[in-house]
Amino acid sequence: MATILGIESSCDETAAAIVVDGRDVRGNVIASQIELHRKYGGVVPEIASRAHIERLDSVVREAMGQARVTPHDIDAIAVTHKPGLIGSLLIGVTAAKTLSWYWGKPLVAVDHVLAHVCSPAIDVDPAPWPAVGLVVSGGHSSLYRVDGFDRIERLGQTIDDAAGEAFDKVATILDLPYPGGPEIDKLARRGDPTAVEFPRTMLGRDSLDFSFSGIKTAVLYHVNGPGKTSGGLENLTDQQIADIAASFQESVVDVLVAKTMRALDQTGLSAVGLSGGVAANSRLRAMLEATCQSRDATLYAAKMGDCMDNAAMIAALGEHKYQRREFATLELDAAAR
Ligand code: KG4
Ligand code: ZN
């Protein structure tokens, strides 16, 4: 049983967590930068890096305070080293290397997306593998076959926009605040999901890849008129905008659920893990749960608080690497991809 300090700074969340035994989350602090980036309508990398520098120290201290641990109690430091914004990743990696050297504790390098994949397992004992893992976030939409914490195989991924990116871009078209995913989720509740028939891009018959750029363009032209990129929104009523949000969300969710079922068919598995920021979407959770139930598959959805970027998932996956003695050296570098 190990006590792991996790550090996450790959995008616009500065986070630290203390996790014991890969499941017992004793301290968990997430400093969101949403307010800093909102007026720019997206994450500004330079602002993100600077905020990580300013906040990481106190975020780590706070997580350790919540868990009532001292450096002496910590067995290893796990840090996100890829993928993400390179300047942001470097802050976390540099901090983790410094603490590793200063405290004399091993360093563990964690892949952010694989940590999302494993996040539904945090409070499930025994772990829910083997399972199909659907990871949907601002940067990724991928399906995995997960046979263990160290046996994760990618089955498919987006060939253009990620699901969260599509939510964020459509929210911009509808003039909703950043980040758009939660805003569309909220607005869609009073819209009619059948009002507009947006495309559901399924790609090849057996494909487990995703494509969301077509639907984003379809929303753009539906709002502004064919071939036009602006000027249409003011002619729409609030109800029409809510209908567009609901119809867009329905088509993205339809594709995500259909492809996940395709992955179950192809692998013969009967469990699904759902994670990543878009896993917080209420319609996706409900539809995936109902569809899994209808075919006797079990859905393991990351808890709402574990969907967005966090360091508990980094420490949790770090525990498994720690147990396998998969340590990084102080040469560890950050990698954008
Ligand atoms: O995992 P995450 O925090 O960061 C990345 O690794 O990308 O995911 C952030 C993404 C954003 O695109 C955000 O709009 C989306 O998750 N998101 C949602 C919801 N909550 C967050 N998308 C749809 N519905 C939601 N409720
Ligand atoms: Zn993420």
Side-chain angles (χ1 to χ4, degrees), residues 112 116 137-139 164 167-168 179-182 185 276-278 280-281 307-309:
H112 177 88
H116 273 304
S137 73
F167 269 93
D168 294 339
D185 193 345
V278 181
N281 184 267
C307 291
M308 71 186 298
D309 287 347

Side-chain angles (χ1 to χ4, degrees), residues 246-305:
S247 302
F248 158 76
Q249 175 175 276
E250 196 71 3
S251 102
V252 172
V253 168
D254 269 351
V255 172
L256 292 173
V257 172
K259 294 260 172 171
T260 307
M261 295 307 122
R262 208 178 253 187
L264 285 182
D265 289 337
Q266 290 181 17
T267 57
L269 297 176
S270 57
V272 173
L274 171 66
S275 55
V278 181
N281 184 267
S282 58
R283 183 72 184 135
L284 175 60
R285 291 177 89 89
M287 194 132 130
L288 200 53
E289 176 68 56
T291 313
C292 281
Q293 246 175 38
S294 74
R295 50 180 289 162
D296 285 332
T298 311
L299 175 66
Y300 297 92
K303 279 188 305 193
M304 288 297 276

Side-chain angles (χ1 to χ4, degrees), residues 8-267:
E8 154 66 37
S9 70
S10 66
C11 189
D12 60 342
E13 252 82 49
T14 316
I18 300 288
V19 179
V20 174
D21 202 20
R23 21 182 117 258
D24 185 3
V25 182
R26 302 262 175 100
N28 194 8
V29 178
I30 303 171
S32 166
Q33 301 178 6
I34 284 175
E35 294 310 322
L36 297 179
H37 300 288
R38 179 165 280 148
K39 69 175 172 217
Y40 304 101
V43 178
V44 182
E46 291 78 4
I47 294 177
S49 313
R50 178 168 294 271
H52 287 309
I53 294 179
E54 288 169 359
R55 298 171 178 194
L56 191 55
D57 186 50
S58 57
V59 166
V60 169
R61 278 174 207 276
E62 199 181 329
M64 290 175 65
Q66 281 181 358
R68 298 175 187 278
V69 294
T70 66
H72 179 78
D73 304 311
I74 291 170
D75 294 298
I77 298 147
V79 63
T80 306
H81 73 118
K82 67 172 185 185
L85 300 171
I86 191 70
S88 291
L89 286 163
L90 273 170
I91 312 303
V93 167
T94 306
K97 291 202 296 197
T98 308
L99 292 176
S100 162
W101 170 75
Y102 187 60
W103 292 344
K105 307 285 179 175
L107 181 67
V108 178
V110 174
D111 179 307
H112 177 88
V113 184
L114 298 186
H116 273 304
V117 176
C118 294
S119 62
I122 285 187
D123 49 4
V124 180
D125 193 12
W129 327 129
V132 162
L134 173 65
V135 180
V136 270
S137 73
H140 308 274
S141 304
S142 306
L143 278 163
Y144 295 84
R145 180 191 169 108
V146 190
D147 287 292
F149 290 98
D150 59 339
R151 285 191 296 151
I152 303 173
E153 178 200 350
R154 193 168 61 210
L155 303 172
Q157 63 180 323
T158 180
I159 59 170
D160 41 55
D161 293 351
E165 201 178 347
F167 269 93
D168 294 339
K169 287 178 177 170
V170 165
T172 304
I173 296 170
L174 300 180
D175 202 24
L176 302 171
Y178 168 85
E183 297 293 328
I184 290 188
D185 193 345
K186 227 186 317 171
L187 187 59
R189 283 176 209 164
R190 45 186 187 78
D192 172 5
T194 64
V196 190
E197 185 70 25
F198 287 123
R200 282 141 172 86
T201 309
M202 294 300 289
L203 303 170
R205 250 192 67 200
D206 298 325
S207 170
L208 295 177
D209 289 332
F210 298 99
S211 167
F212 293 112
S213 76
I215 183 170
K216 170 199 68 191
T217 310
V219 174
L220 185 69
Y221 292 163
H222 179 84
V223 168
N224 298 298
K228 296 204 199 121
T229 55
S230 63
L233 196 63
E234 43 270 34
N235 305 321
L236 298 177
T237 63
D238 286 353
Q239 187 56 50
Q240 282 173 316
I241 295 173
D243 288 346
I244 292 169
S247 302
F248 158 76
Q249 175 175 276
E250 196 71 3
S251 102
V252 172
V253 168
D254 269 351
V255 172
L256 292 173
V257 172
K259 294 260 172 171
T260 307
M261 295 307 122
R262 208 178 253 187
L264 285 182
D265 289 337
Q266 290 181 17
T267 57

